[in-house]
Every structure is written in structure tokens, then in C-alpha cells.
Amino acid sequence: MAGDIDSQLSERQNDTVATKIREEMARRRISRQYLADQAKISLSTLEKALSGHRPFTLATTIRLEEALGMRLRGADGHDNPPLPSHGHASEDFGAYSRAAVGWIEGRYLTLRPSFGDPKAIFAYCTEIGWSDAASNLRFIEKERLDAAFTQQGTVAIPNLSGHIYLATNTSGQHRLIIISRPSITGEMYGILTTLQAGRGAQLTPVSAPIVLIPMGSAPDAQFGRIASDHASYASYLAYLKRTVEEPFAVFLPGPTVVD
């Protein structure tokens, strides 16, 4: 088994994998450093393989497939054997089967308050889909105005809490979204907890309401920073207000400090 993992791809396979990676990086607008971090490989290893100076090993290719949530090798049954698909996530993600969570796969208009403008709403796309390589659901963000901060990670759906967890772990730095199961019209409401960039290198923990709306329910979705004079602002704001008014999420006030 160890020998198989350490084996190198053929020249044809290597060219195919390198091309797919470059195309996917361009489509998602992510850097080589970001991809290397997500795949837990060195930037040097990635750059040498992409330039053809060193072939991809099977182990490196699998890590990249897991990071991108997509197949990089072909599936012709000969030179490129298909990835094993167990169709069942581990207990760490809720022990769900693919058949049981197919309803969540798709593209979602994602709304949260803008961190840069307190009067605006930040809108982008979140894609959720099954990864054969990881044997669980994964998500990736797209159409972000701040593409350098695009997130991707795992999806946990435990039966105990009745909620859904979208988690990003980048070198031990976490971001977490906790959302409800879909409403009758398909929206999922909840809380985003992350770090907000401040002055210089300062980062501050911050939580905010967040909503994922099936793209089929938002055919005219607008992305980016939606200001109060934007045509979509009123409808987007109504979604965010519902998060706390229903309430799908509660933001507790701090205790009163008395001198």
C-alpha cells in the first residue's frame, strides 16, 4: 500500500492533473500558496509538479483532490483508476450516507452583514457537494468580492443537534458556520463565527447572522457588497432579519457593568 501511495503519476497523467489544477485555481481565483495549505503539502512540491520538474505522487494527488473536492485523475479504468467511493461519512461529520444528504447538494446565494460597511450586506455563492476522495460533503465559496479570503471546507450533519456545520480549518485556524436544516422554502439560517481584519495585522473574533438560499429561489442573485440603495437590498435584509426574529439564532447581550 505504501508503495502505491508513493508511486508517481505517468507523464500523461501528470500533464492532465497539472492542467486541471491550473484551470481550477484560475476559476476559483485562489493562489498556489492557498491550495498548498489546504492540501497540507509544501508550496515547493506543488510548484515543481505544476511546472513539470517533478511528477505528482499518488499521495500528493489525493491530498489535492480532497482539498479541491474534485477528481483530478481520469476514470477510464486503466491508466487512471477511479477513486474509491464509500458513500458514507465518518462519525466526525455525522456518519451520514451520501443518499441521505443528497438534498443539500447544490449552489446557494449566501448573505451576511458586510464587515467593511455596517450598512451593507455581503453576498456570494456557496457550493455544497459530495467528495468521493474524502467520502463526505464539502463546501466552497465563489463569487466573493474579496477573492483572497475565499473559504472551503467540510460539512457535518449530525442527528443530535439538528443543525449543519460548515467548517474551515487552515493550519489550525478555524472558521465555523452553524445553520438550521432547510425551511419549507429551502433557506438555511444561522451564525457565522470568524476573524475580522482590523488595523494592520490585527484580527478580532466576530459573529454575524448568515443565510444560505437555494440559487433556484434566487435566479437574479446579485453578488458583492450590496448597499442600501441597491435593488436587492430590501429582500436580502429581510432574510437576515428573519435569522434573529424567528429566531433561528440568538445573540446574547453582555452583562451590565456597574461601577
Side-chain angles (χ1 to χ4, degrees):
M1 179 65 178
D4 291 339
I5 288 294
D6 293 335
S7 64
Q8 296 179 341
L9 302 189
S10 67
E11 184 177 352
R12 183 173 67 85
Q13 286 177 310
N14 202 82
D15 290 344
T16 298
V17 169
T19 298
K20 286 185 177 181
I21 291 173
R22 284 192 290 266
E23 289 175 350
E24 197 64 17
M25 288 173 59
R27 186 175 71 85
R28 301 186 188 186
R29 293 184 291 180
I30 59 177
S31 68
R32 293 186 176 189
Q33 182 66 68
Y34 180 83
L35 178 57
D37 290 343
Q38 293 298 304
K40 296 180 174 59
I41 62 175
S42 70
L43 177 60
S44 175
T45 295
L46 178 60
E47 289 184 332
K48 288 179 180 178
L50 288 176
S51 64
H53 289 95
R54 177 190 298 169
F56 287 100
T57 64
L58 181 57
T60 297
T61 306
I62 290 173
R63 285 177 179 242
L64 288 164
E65 287 174 334
E66 292 176 348
L68 292 169
M70 64 177 291
R71 185 187 301 275
L72 295 173
R73 295 166 291 166
D76 55 15
H78 301 287
D79 197 29
N80 300 312
L83 292 172
S85 176
H86 305 296
H88 201 283
S90 70
E91 291 187 7
D92 290 340
F93 303 109
Y96 51 76
S97 68
R98 183 176 188 180
V101 295
W103 49 268
I104 200 175
E105 294 188 72
R107 303 175 74 243
Y108 295 85
L109 168 64
T110 306
L111 308 175
R112 65 160 171 80
S114 169
F115 295 156
D117 181 352
K119 296 182 179 180
I121 296 170
F122 196 68
Y124 55 94
C125 174
T126 299
E127 284 190 4
I128 298 177
W130 184 266
S131 167
D132 283 330
S135 194
N136 57 39
L137 289 168
R138 297 185 65 85
F139 76 92
I140 183 169
E141 297 172 348
K142 299 182 178 180
E143 307 295 343
R144 282 190 58 148
L145 188 64
D146 53 349
F149 296 95
T150 294
Q151 303 283 327
Q152 61 179 317
T154 57
V155 181
I157 310 180
N159 289 320
L160 294 177
S161 71
H163 281 72
I164 300 162
Y165 301 78
L166 279 63
T168 299
N169 179 355
T170 304
S171 300
Q173 181 172 299
H174 290 67
R175 189 195 73 159
L176 179 65
I177 295 173
I178 305 176
I179 48 177
S180 64
R181 298 295 178 106
S183 67
I184 193 170
T185 48
E187 301 93 19
M188 296 180 285
Y189 299 82
I191 291 176
L192 160 69
T193 298
T194 186
L195 295 175
Q196 179 180 7
R199 294 180 178 178
Q202 181 182 358
L203 296 172
T204 304
V206 61
S207 291
I210 191 166
V211 186
L212 274 67
I213 305 160
M215 204 62 78
S217 300
D220 300 319
Q222 300 294 309
F223 304 114
R225 187 173 288 110
I226 308 300
S228 57
D229 59 351
H230 193 283
S232 299
Y233 183 82
S235 61
Y236 285 7
L237 182 61
Y239 280 117
L240 286 176
K241 283 186 173 181
R242 188 181 179 194
T243 304
V244 294
E245 290 177 351
E246 288 285 330
F248 288 97
V250 176
F251 294 84
L252 297 177
T256 301
V257 178
V258 179
D259 293 332

